[in-house]
Amino acid sequence: MTWLPVLAGAALILFILRDVFHTIWHPTRHGGLSRLVMRGVWRLSAHRGARWRPVGLAGPVGMMTVVTIWAFVIAAGWALIYWPHMPDDFSYATGLTPSEHAGPVDALYVSLVTLATLGLGDIAPASGWLRMLAPIEALVGFALLSATVAWILGIYPALARRRALALRLSHLGRSDGTTGALDSAGGAAILDGLASAFSTVTVDFLQYAESYYFYDGDENISLAGRLDLAVDLTERAKHAHHPDVRLSASVLRTALDDLATVLDERFLRTGGPPAKVFRAYAADHRRPWDGADGDGDDIPST
């Protein structure tokens, strides 16, 4: 019955490779394990107050946990393949007794050494097909390392774009601008820039869904706490006399609707209008929401 652990090991490897593929290279809602882990770490941090220091570590800790699980499960999968063939199909260094080094722990050791591309050689596959399998595991280990680096290098620029947009909204909220000043060509340019930035952030949430689970400590760089300013700008601008401002407001409103759709489908599941989604987003990130509860049309102009 040696084929049972081999099949189990192959299933574990394929499961993790599928999760890595859908998380990093083809982001969809099918990256189940990584999403479950990230959400679990985030929900665990929700039991603490916003001033609890480790809440800001939820995103990084979640990513580290995901990568650790990926590596360990892949190593365990290959260990299940190696174990039934030990010690007969393996060569041992001088001083090692094969019968004493043929257990599951030894198989896991061989798998970890191979996955990490260390190649110590004290226990190595000796039969034909196992000798071909070990380099494949080493290649998978190298690919996993490369994918992890690419994942990290992609997440943090996405966070920077989200935080820069929040800071831009904070600047607008703290400025002395009035509805009259917004009703101009300059106001239209500001709205166009915001719409473009929101489109980029929406794509970031699709491409790097894990970025949702990163907490922004400073309220001025927290998009969850600044979306009400964007909604307010849109409502003020849609009644402007300048046609370019009204057009830009319509584009910004569409960009906000698209962001709400992604947030709701991927993370929040409220099934409500954009304002309800944004309120849920703010609450999930421990931020107050000063906007409306409806579909946005009942937000008063200022």
Side-chain angles (χ1 to χ4, degrees), residues 252-265:
L252 178 56
R253 178 63 177 269
T254 302
L256 287 170
D257 289 346
D258 288 344
L259 175 61
T261 298
V262 170
L263 288 174
D264 205 37
E265 290 181 351

Side-chain angles (χ1 to χ4, degrees), residues 5 8-9 12-13 70-82 108 111-112 115 137:
L12 286 176
I13 294 168
W70 282 346
F72 181 79
V73 175
I74 287 179
W78 248 283
L80 286 173
I81 296 175
Y82 295 147
L108 182 60
S111 179
L112 287 171
L115 186 68
E137 183 183 7

Side-chain angles (χ1 to χ4, degrees), residues 147-228:
T148 300
V149 173
W151 196 26
I152 295 172
L153 293 179
I155 284 284
Y156 283 95
L159 291 175
R161 290 188 289 269
R162 187 177 80 194
R163 291 164 178 169
L165 173 57
L167 188 59
R168 175 62 170 155
L169 290 171
S170 179
H171 291 163
L172 292 172
R174 287 178 287 163
S175 68
D176 295 328
T178 63
T179 301
L182 186 64
D183 194 359
S184 63
I190 289 175
L191 296 175
D192 286 338
L194 290 176
S196 176
F198 272 110
S199 298
T200 300
V201 168
T202 300
V203 173
D204 285 337
F205 276 125
L206 289 170
Q207 185 72 26
Y208 304 104
E210 296 74 20
S211 64
Y212 176 89
Y213 302 107
F214 279 73
Y215 177 76
D216 302 311
D218 190 332
E219 62 180 10
N220 289 321
I221 61 171
S222 175
L223 183 61
R226 290 291 174 261
L227 277 172
D228 56 331

